[in-house]
């Protein structure tokens, strides 16, 4: 295969390392020291699968391994914004839990979640989007260290009794762009380009 055929594919591959990357759902800082921040970096859209209310966003297995205690924190400052079938709705963000130690319907041990009050009334077929945002987390006394960093797994909506009312959405944390790899790809592209030029000059 000639270099002229390979070079475009290499450059496309290298360009992919510079595409925007998102952490999805992140808890940064130190919750026990009062500097914890919850960030949802991209809107998350759910299809509602049963009639009822939506009051909890569950992070499946984020608190694994659990630390034997449940830190249930309230008194958030700020609101969480939704779109329900395209209409804007705001609710006060009301609480966060680092890990469950018991089962409540579809909420199971090791799950973490956030919730809002009042709840959202939903019906089968509705489309609910949680909009991106950041919220300071109230200070904890024994926050589970597993429930920090970027979340990888499924999220879904439940009512206040843990009954799932939405489809599950898979969240995958994407690594930050590797600048060293990017510049290495650029250098490779330049080198291959020069090689092409030399071959064009020396070819009879």
């Amino acid at each position: 295969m000639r270099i002229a055929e390979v070079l475009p594919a290499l450059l496309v591959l290298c360009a992919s390392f510079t595409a925007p990357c998102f952490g999805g759902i992140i808890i940064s800082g130190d919750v026990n020291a009062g500097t914890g921040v919850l960030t949802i970096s991209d809107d998350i859209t759910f299809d509602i699968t049963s009639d009822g209310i939506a009051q909890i966003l569950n992070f499946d297995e984020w608190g694994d391994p659990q630390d034997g205690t449940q830190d249930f924190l309230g008194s958030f400052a700020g609101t969480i914004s939704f779109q329900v079938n395209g209409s804007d709705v705001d609710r006060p963000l009301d609480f966060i839990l680092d890990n469950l130690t018991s089962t409540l319907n579809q909420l199971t041990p090791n799950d973490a979640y956030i919730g809002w009050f009042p709840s959202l009334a939903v019906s089968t077929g509705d489309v609910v989007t949680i909009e991106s945002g950041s919220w300071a987390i109230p200070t904890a006394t024994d926050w589970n260290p597993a429930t920090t960093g970027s979340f990888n797994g499924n999220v879904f909506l439940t009512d206040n009794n843990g009954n799932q009312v939405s489809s599950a959405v898979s969240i995958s944390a994407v690594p930050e762009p590797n600048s060293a790899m990017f510049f290495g790809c650029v250098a490779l592209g330049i080198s291959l380009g020069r090689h092409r030029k030399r071959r064009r000059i020396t070819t009879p």
Side-chain angles (χ1 to χ4, degrees):
M1 182 178 291
R2 294 181 301 175
I3 293 176
E5 297 171 346
V6 176
L7 182 58
L10 284 173
L11 293 178
V12 168
L13 176 63
C14 292
S16 69
F17 294 118
T18 66
C21 296
F22 304 97
I25 298 172
I26 303 167
I27 291 180
S28 56
D30 185 345
V31 180
N32 290 322
T35 61
V37 175
L38 168 68
T39 299
I40 298 177
S41 63
D42 295 281
D43 296 352
I44 308 172
T45 298
F46 300 90
D47 295 321
I48 299 301
T49 55
S50 62
D51 298 344
I53 63 171
Q55 192 167 8
I56 288 172
L57 173 62
N58 186 63
F59 310 112
D60 193 35
E61 297 289 320
W62 197 358
D64 181 20
Q66 61 176 278
D67 60 0
T69 63
Q70 294 184 169
D71 268 301
F72 185 89
L73 309 177
S75 303
F76 270 82
T79 59
I80 184 169
S81 296
F82 303 86
Q83 285 190 8
V84 181
N85 298 326
S87 298
D88 293 332
V89 180
D90 290 338
R91 291 287 188 268
L93 188 59
D94 197 44
F95 53 83
I96 187 170
L97 181 91
D98 64 345
N99 59 248
L100 275 171
T101 56
S102 59
T103 298
L104 181 62
N105 294 308
Q106 275 72 54
L107 302 179
T108 57
N110 301 332
D111 289 357
Y113 59 72
I114 60 172
W116 47 88
F117 186 82
S119 59
L120 296 173
V122 293
S123 300
T124 302
D126 286 350
V127 177
V128 174
T129 297
I130 297 179
E131 297 182 351
S132 60
S134 292
W135 302 268
I137 301 174
T139 304
T141 56
D142 191 21
W143 188 258
N144 184 355
T147 316
T148 55
S150 297
F151 172 71
N152 286 278
N154 291 328
V155 295
F156 54 84
L157 302 174
T158 78
D159 62 17
N160 58 339
N161 290 314
N163 296 299
Q164 186 171 341
V165 297
S166 80
S167 58
V169 175
S170 178
I171 303 294
S172 296
V174 180
E176 292 299 319
N178 188 321
S179 57
M181 185 175 293
F182 166 64
F183 287 115
C185 285
V186 171
L188 175 62
I190 292 172
S191 175
L192 289 174
R194 287 175 177 168
H195 184 66
R196 281 183 63 201
K197 187 174 180 180
R198 283 198 301 269
R199 287 192 61 187
R200 187 178 299 120
I201 292 171
T202 58
T203 300

